[in-house]
Amino acid sequence: MRVLAIESSCDESAAAVLDAEAGLLAHELYSQVELHRTYGGVVPELASRDHVRRLLPLVKTALARALTPPGDLAGIAYTAGPGLIGALLTGASLARSLAYALRIPAIGVHHLEGHLLAPLLERDPPPFPHVALLVSGGHTQLIEVAAIGSYRVLGETRDDAAGEAFDKTAKLLGLPYPGGPQLAELARRGTAGAFTFPRPMLDRPGLEFSFSGLKTAALHAVRGAAPLTEQRRADIARAVEEAIVDTLSAKALRALEYTGLRALVVSGGVSANHSLRERLSAAARGHGARVYYPRLEFCTDNAAMIAVAGLARLRAGQHDGLAIEARAQWPLASLPPLAA
Ligand code: KG4
Ligand code: ZN
């Protein structure tokens, strides 16, 4: 079975072709980062319009690179939520229309299920069951993954997501959108221990997160550091990154302890962060556990991960009706199990 997948939930337009036997045949991506940079964040209406412009050429290129005529496709997967509703609808409309014209099934994929299953594209995929730490721009969750489609949220953020915390503090330091990777870059030049920010909720039992206090702590540090020299900016960036990495690692290990599981998947945009990867891998080794990541390009939004989730569900006989539907909000735990 061979499927085409389309991703358009936020500011990345992407298409991929995945074959059940031959694996990933092509994946194409266009990032709208430049388009939104002037505004310091994603402008939903501009995102939708740009998806309309980019998606079809990306689909054509992906099919050509995969040497796959449309008639060879057995199904189409597209991100149906959660995300920006206008952006989601551009991908949903294209996917459903193509599927209708080709008389093949189409399935709306949950964006976070895509992130969770991205490591399955790697040579050494994670075993089931495992614990997943999902850290993106909009979500921070610890999830017990019993099997594909069986997700139990163990804990999540009460306010900002980890990616959001990176982006907001980056903005305070004058870094351009999207700030996460830039803050991480700046942090490399920072001195450890020059600033220390709170690790909220670390002293309490449980697996909840809270990152909104970090913005305030960083804001006070920025204001108090007049003049804000290049070194101080780097020191603050380092302290922000350390507070986030510390909190995420400690809670992820706690989740392994609670569940008794030995495999940890880390996915979503923030899983591209080097400090987090190093810290988690070392900490997990100390606990006799192993960490599995997607390759760097599949940590952030892409269509290959949507193809993995879509192919699994289409193979299990699941697909959606003809209506073009998308959901801005969509609880992960409400997804049907694969075998239903
Ligand atoms: O998964 P993703 O591409 O989009 C969502 O579904 O949200 O995640 C994007 C988030 C942004 O907040 C971005 O700043 C953050 O991931 N991010 C990083 C790094 N790369 C991306 N944060 C810290 N360090 C990085 N290297
Ligand atoms: Zn994402």
Side-chain angles (χ1 to χ4, degrees):
M1 184 181 234
R2 189 169 290 191
V3 299
L4 167 72
I6 294 172
E7 155 68 30
S8 70
S9 64
C10 190
D11 59 347
E12 249 96 40
S13 318
V17 179
L18 178 67
D19 186 277
E21 273 80 45
L24 187 62
L25 301 178
H27 60 98
E28 297 295 314
L29 183 133
Y30 178 84
S31 168
Q32 303 179 351
V33 161
E34 291 304 325
L35 174 70
H36 301 291
R37 185 162 280 154
T38 345
Y39 306 96
V42 180
V43 183
E45 186 57 29
L46 294 182
S48 310
R49 288 173 189 220
D50 211 49
H51 285 309
V52 171
R53 255 196 301 270
R54 309 284 173 191
L55 282 177
L56 197 50
L58 287 167
V59 164
K60 284 186 175 162
T61 311
L63 288 173
R65 293 233 160 109
L67 303 175
T68 302
D72 284 4
L73 293 171
I76 302 187
Y78 59 96
T79 307
L84 302 171
I85 194 68
L88 289 165
L89 281 170
T90 63
S93 311
L94 175 59
R96 294 231 62 98
S97 309
L98 274 177
Y100 182 70
L102 295 167
R103 296 176 191 281
I104 54 176
I107 185 146
V109 168
H110 194 293
H111 182 80
L112 299 183
E113 180 169 59
H115 276 303
L116 286 176
L117 302 184
L120 295 183
L121 286 162
E122 302 311 313
R123 237 174 241 283
D124 185 15
F128 293 93
H130 59 247
V131 169
L133 172 66
L134 187 84
V135 272
S136 71
H139 293 83
T140 298
Q141 295 184 320
L142 276 162
I143 300 162
E144 185 176 355
V145 181
I148 297 181
S150 174
Y151 310 113
R152 188 163 72 94
V153 177
L154 303 169
E156 61 191 327
T157 183
R158 295 191 172 176
D159 39 61
D160 291 352
E164 211 174 346
F166 267 108
D167 294 342
K168 286 179 176 172
T169 46
K171 208 169 192 173
L172 286 176
L173 290 168
L175 296 167
Y177 157 87
Q182 312 237 10
L183 185 131
E185 197 48 47
L186 183 60
R188 281 171 192 262
R189 300 195 291 277
T191 315
F195 289 87
T196 310
F197 295 140
R199 274 90 167 124
M201 326 230 1
L202 212 51
D203 50 348
R204 294 187 225 166
L207 299 169
E208 303 285 301
F209 302 91
S210 165
F211 289 110
S212 65
L214 205 50
K215 297 190 295 274
T216 321
L219 181 65
H220 286 308
V222 167
R223 286 196 179 145
L228 188 61
T229 57
E230 201 45 36
Q231 187 57 47
R232 286 209 177 121
R233 284 176 76 229
D235 292 346
I236 295 172
R238 172 130 186 188
V240 165
E241 184 177 53
E242 275 175 359
I244 297 174
V245 166
D246 248 16
T247 312
L248 292 175
S249 322
K251 295 270 159 118
L253 283 186
R254 204 179 277 180
L256 287 175
E257 269 165 33
Y258 282 177
T259 56
L261 294 171
R262 290 265 168 271
L264 175 70
V265 158
V266 188
S267 60
V270 179
S271 68
N273 184 277
H274 283 293
S275 306
L276 180 66
R277 289 169 91 107
E278 267 173 31
R279 177 78 60 85
L280 273 173
S281 297
R285 262 196 307 278
H287 278 70
R290 236 197 94 178
V291 195
Y292 298 81
Y293 306 95
R295 73 191 80 163
L296 281 179
E297 64 179 328
F298 295 157
C299 286
T300 44
D301 292 349
N302 65 87
M305 67 184 197
I306 302 304
V308 177
L311 178 64
R313 291 194 175 273
L314 286 164
R315 282 177 98 183
Q318 297 181 11
H319 60 86
D320 295 332
L322 287 175
I324 294 168
E325 282 172 340
R327 307 175 189 206
Q329 314 244 347
W330 189 1
L332 189 64
S334 72
L335 287 181
L338 205 57

Short mmCIF file of all heavy atoms in Angstrom, two decimals, residues 61-97:
data_model
loop_
_atom_site.label_atom_id
_atom_site.label_comp_id
_atom_site.label_asym_id
_atom_site.label_seq_id
_atom_site.Cartn_x
_atom_site.Cartn_y
_atom_site.Cartn_z
N THR A 61 5.85 17.43 -6.95
CA THR A 61 7.28 17.09 -6.81
C THR A 61 7.46 15.80 -6.03
O THR A 61 8.26 14.93 -6.42
CB THR A 61 8.04 18.23 -6.10
OG1 THR A 61 7.69 19.46 -6.73
CG2 THR A 61 9.53 18.03 -6.16
N ALA A 62 6.71 15.66 -4.95
CA ALA A 62 6.85 14.44 -4.12
C ALA A 62 6.49 13.20 -4.96
O ALA A 62 7.21 12.20 -4.93
CB ALA A 62 5.97 14.53 -2.88
N LEU A 63 5.40 13.28 -5.71
CA LEU A 63 4.98 12.12 -6.52
C LEU A 63 6.03 11.82 -7.59
O LEU A 63 6.37 10.66 -7.84
CB LEU A 63 3.62 12.39 -7.17
CG LEU A 63 2.41 12.36 -6.22
CD1 LEU A 63 1.13 12.80 -6.94
CD2 LEU A 63 2.22 10.97 -5.61
N ALA A 64 6.58 12.89 -8.21
CA ALA A 64 7.60 12.69 -9.25
C ALA A 64 8.85 12.06 -8.65
O ALA A 64 9.40 11.08 -9.18
CB ALA A 64 7.94 14.02 -9.92
N ARG A 65 9.31 12.59 -7.49
CA ARG A 65 10.52 12.03 -6.85
C ARG A 65 10.29 10.58 -6.43
O ARG A 65 11.22 9.79 -6.40
CB ARG A 65 10.88 12.85 -5.62
CG ARG A 65 11.33 14.25 -5.97
CD ARG A 65 12.68 14.58 -5.33
NE ARG A 65 13.32 15.69 -6.04
CZ ARG A 65 13.46 16.91 -5.56
NH1 ARG A 65 13.05 17.18 -4.34
NH2 ARG A 65 14.04 17.84 -6.27
N ALA A 66 9.05 10.24 -6.06
CA ALA A 66 8.75 8.88 -5.61
C ALA A 66 8.44 7.98 -6.80
O ALA A 66 8.09 6.81 -6.60
CB ALA A 66 7.57 8.92 -4.65
N LEU A 67 8.59 8.52 -8.02
CA LEU A 67 8.27 7.77 -9.25
C LEU A 67 6.90 7.11 -9.14
O LEU A 67 6.73 5.93 -9.44
CB LEU A 67 9.35 6.71 -9.52
CG LEU A 67 10.79 7.23 -9.66
CD1 LEU A 67 11.78 6.08 -9.81
CD2 LEU A 67 10.92 8.19 -10.83
N THR A 68 5.95 7.89 -8.63
CA THR A 68 4.62 7.36 -8.36
C THR A 68 3.55 8.13 -9.12
O THR A 68 3.23 9.26 -8.75
CB THR A 68 4.34 7.44 -6.83
OG1 THR A 68 5.34 6.70 -6.14
CG2 THR A 68 2.97 6.88 -6.49
N PRO A 69 2.99 7.54 -10.17
CA PRO A 69 1.86 8.22 -10.81
C PRO A 69 0.68 8.21 -9.84
O PRO A 69 0.55 7.26 -9.04
CB PRO A 69 1.57 7.35 -12.04
CG PRO A 69 2.42 6.14 -11.94
CD PRO A 69 3.35 6.27 -10.78
N PRO A 70 -0.17 9.24 -9.87
CA PRO A 70 -1.28 9.30 -8.91
C PRO A 70 -2.10 8.02 -8.88
O PRO A 70 -2.60 7.62 -7.81
CB PRO A 70 -2.12 10.49 -9.42
CG PRO A 70 -1.15 11.34 -10.17
CD PRO A 70 -0.13 10.42 -10.75
N GLY A 71 -2.21 7.35 -10.02
CA GLY A 71 -3.01 6.11 -10.09
C GLY A 71 -2.45 4.99 -9.23
O GLY A 71 -3.15 4.02 -8.92
N ASP A 72 -1.18 5.08 -8.81
CA ASP A 72 -0.58 4.03 -7.97
C ASP A 72 -0.88 4.24 -6.48
O ASP A 72 -0.50 3.41 -5.65
CB ASP A 72 0.94 4.01 -8.14
CG ASP A 72 1.36 3.36 -9.45
OD1 ASP A 72 0.45 3.01 -10.25
OD2 ASP A 72 2.58 3.23 -9.68
N LEU A 73 -1.50 5.38 -6.15
CA LEU A 73 -1.77 5.65 -4.73
C LEU A 73 -2.97 4.85 -4.26
O LEU A 73 -3.98 4.75 -4.97
CB LEU A 73 -2.04 7.15 -4.50
CG LEU A 73 -0.87 8.10 -4.72
CD1 LEU A 73 -1.35 9.55 -4.68
CD2 LEU A 73 0.21 7.86 -3.67
N ALA A 74 -2.84 4.30 -3.02
CA ALA A 74 -3.97 3.55 -2.45
C ALA A 74 -4.75 4.39 -1.46
O ALA A 74 -5.84 4.01 -1.02
CB ALA A 74 -3.44 2.30 -1.76
N GLY A 75 -4.20 5.56 -1.09
CA GLY A 75 -4.91 6.41 -0.14
C GLY A 75 -4.18 7.72 0.07
O GLY A 75 -3.03 7.87 -0.34
N ILE A 76 -4.88 8.66 0.69
CA ILE A 76 -4.28 9.97 0.98
C ILE A 76 -4.50 10.32 2.45
O ILE A 76 -5.62 10.16 2.97
CB ILE A 76 -4.87 11.07 0.08
CG1 ILE A 76 -4.64 10.70 -1.40
CG2 ILE A 76 -4.25 12.43 0.39
CD1 ILE A 76 -5.02 11.75 -2.40
N ALA A 77 -3.44 10.75 3.11
CA ALA A 77 -3.53 11.18 4.51
C ALA A 77 -3.29 12.68 4.57
O ALA A 77 -2.45 13.19 3.82
CB ALA A 77 -2.48 10.45 5.33
N TYR A 78 -4.00 13.36 5.43
CA TYR A 78 -3.78 14.81 5.57
C TYR A 78 -3.98 15.18 7.02
O TYR A 78 -4.73 14.54 7.76
CB TYR A 78 -4.74 15.60 4.68
CG TYR A 78 -6.20 15.35 4.99
CD1 TYR A 78 -6.91 16.19 5.84
CD2 TYR A 78 -6.85 14.24 4.46
CE1 TYR A 78 -8.23 15.94 6.15
CE2 TYR A 78 -8.18 13.97 4.77
CZ TYR A 78 -8.86 14.83 5.61
OH TYR A 78 -10.17 14.56 5.92
N THR A 79 -3.31 16.25 7.46
CA THR A 79 -3.46 16.70 8.84
C THR A 79 -4.83 17.37 8.98
O THR A 79 -5.11 18.35 8.31
CB THR A 79 -2.36 17.70 9.20
OG1 THR A 79 -1.12 17.10 8.90
CG2 THR A 79 -2.42 18.06 10.69
N ALA A 80 -5.67 16.81 9.85
CA ALA A 80 -7.04 17.34 10.02
C ALA A 80 -7.15 18.16 11.31
O ALA A 80 -8.20 18.72 11.61
CB ALA A 80 -8.04 16.20 10.03
N GLY A 81 -6.08 18.22 12.11
CA GLY A 81 -6.09 19.00 13.33
C GLY A 81 -5.11 18.42 14.32
O GLY A 81 -4.51 17.38 14.03
N PRO A 82 -4.86 19.01 15.46
CA PRO A 82 -5.23 20.39 15.77
C PRO A 82 -4.28 21.36 15.05
O PRO A 82 -3.20 20.96 14.64
CB PRO A 82 -5.05 20.46 17.30
CG PRO A 82 -4.09 19.37 17.64
CD PRO A 82 -4.20 18.33 16.57
N GLY A 83 -4.71 22.61 14.93
CA GLY A 83 -3.89 23.60 14.24
C GLY A 83 -4.72 24.81 13.87
O GLY A 83 -5.83 24.99 14.38
N LEU A 84 -4.18 25.62 12.96
CA LEU A 84 -4.91 26.81 12.49
C LEU A 84 -5.99 26.34 11.52
O LEU A 84 -5.68 25.66 10.54
CB LEU A 84 -3.95 27.76 11.77
CG LEU A 84 -2.76 28.24 12.59
CD1 LEU A 84 -1.78 29.00 11.71
CD2 LEU A 84 -3.26 29.14 13.73
N ILE A 85 -7.22 26.71 11.79
CA ILE A 85 -8.32 26.10 11.04
C ILE A 85 -8.25 26.40 9.54
O ILE A 85 -8.46 25.51 8.71
CB ILE A 85 -9.70 26.48 11.66
CG1 ILE A 85 -10.81 25.59 11.10
CG2 ILE A 85 -10.04 27.95 11.50
CD1 ILE A 85 -10.71 24.15 11.53
N GLY A 86 -7.92 27.64 9.17
CA GLY A 86 -7.83 27.99 7.75
C GLY A 86 -6.72 27.21 7.07
O GLY A 86 -6.89 26.68 5.96
N ALA A 87 -5.58 27.11 7.74
CA ALA A 87 -4.43 26.39 7.20
C ALA A 87 -4.77 24.91 7.03
O ALA A 87 -4.49 24.30 6.00
CB ALA A 87 -3.23 26.56 8.12
N LEU A 88 -5.41 24.33 8.05
CA LEU A 88 -5.80 22.92 7.98
C LEU A 88 -6.74 22.67 6.80
O LEU A 88 -6.63 21.67 6.10
CB LEU A 88 -6.52 22.51 9.28
CG LEU A 88 -5.65 22.38 10.52
CD1 LEU A 88 -6.53 22.34 11.77
CD2 LEU A 88 -4.77 21.14 10.46
N LEU A 89 -7.68 23.60 6.61
CA LEU A 89 -8.68 23.40 5.55
C LEU A 89 -8.07 23.41 4.15
O LEU A 89 -8.58 22.74 3.25
CB LEU A 89 -9.79 24.45 5.66
CG LEU A 89 -10.82 24.13 6.75
CD1 LEU A 89 -11.75 25.33 6.98
CD2 LEU A 89 -11.63 22.88 6.42
N THR A 90 -6.96 24.13 3.96
CA THR A 90 -6.34 24.12 2.62
C THR A 90 -5.84 22.70 2.30
O THR A 90 -6.07 22.20 1.21
CB THR A 90 -5.15 25.11 2.52
OG1 THR A 90 -4.12 24.70 3.42
CG2 THR A 90 -5.58 26.53 2.84
N GLY A 91 -5.18 22.06 3.27
CA GLY A 91 -4.67 20.70 3.07
C GLY A 91 -5.80 19.69 2.96
O GLY A 91 -5.77 18.79 2.11
N ALA A 92 -6.81 19.86 3.83
CA ALA A 92 -7.95 18.94 3.82
C ALA A 92 -8.67 19.01 2.48
O ALA A 92 -9.03 17.98 1.90
CB ALA A 92 -8.90 19.28 4.97
N SER A 93 -8.87 20.22 1.95
CA SER A 93 -9.59 20.38 0.68
C SER A 93 -8.82 19.71 -0.46
O SER A 93 -9.39 18.99 -1.27
CB SER A 93 -9.77 21.85 0.32
OG SER A 93 -10.26 22.56 1.40
N LEU A 94 -7.51 19.95 -0.48
CA LEU A 94 -6.70 19.37 -1.56
C LEU A 94 -6.71 17.84 -1.45
O LEU A 94 -6.94 17.14 -2.44
CB LEU A 94 -5.27 19.91 -1.47
CG LEU A 94 -4.27 19.31 -2.46
CD1 LEU A 94 -4.73 19.54 -3.90
CD2 LEU A 94 -2.89 19.90 -2.27
N ALA A 95 -6.48 17.34 -0.24
CA ALA A 95 -6.39 15.89 -0.06
C ALA A 95 -7.71 15.21 -0.41
O ALA A 95 -7.73 14.21 -1.12
CB ALA A 95 -6.00 15.59 1.39
N ARG A 96 -8.80 15.75 0.10
CA ARG A 96 -10.10 15.11 -0.13
C ARG A 96 -10.49 15.19 -1.61
O ARG A 96 -11.09 14.26 -2.15
CB ARG A 96 -11.18 15.77 0.73
CG ARG A 96 -10.99 15.57 2.22
CD ARG A 96 -12.28 15.04 2.86
NE ARG A 96 -12.61 13.75 2.31
CZ ARG A 96 -12.34 12.59 2.88
NH1 ARG A 96 -11.74 12.55 4.05
NH2 ARG A 96 -12.66 11.46 2.31
N SER A 97 -10.18 16.31 -2.26
CA SER A 97 -10.53 16.46 -3.67
C SER A 97 -9.73 15.48 -4.53
O SER A 97 -10.28 14.83 -5.42
CB SER A 97 -10.27 17.89 -4.16
OG SER A 97 -10.87 18.80 -3.28
#
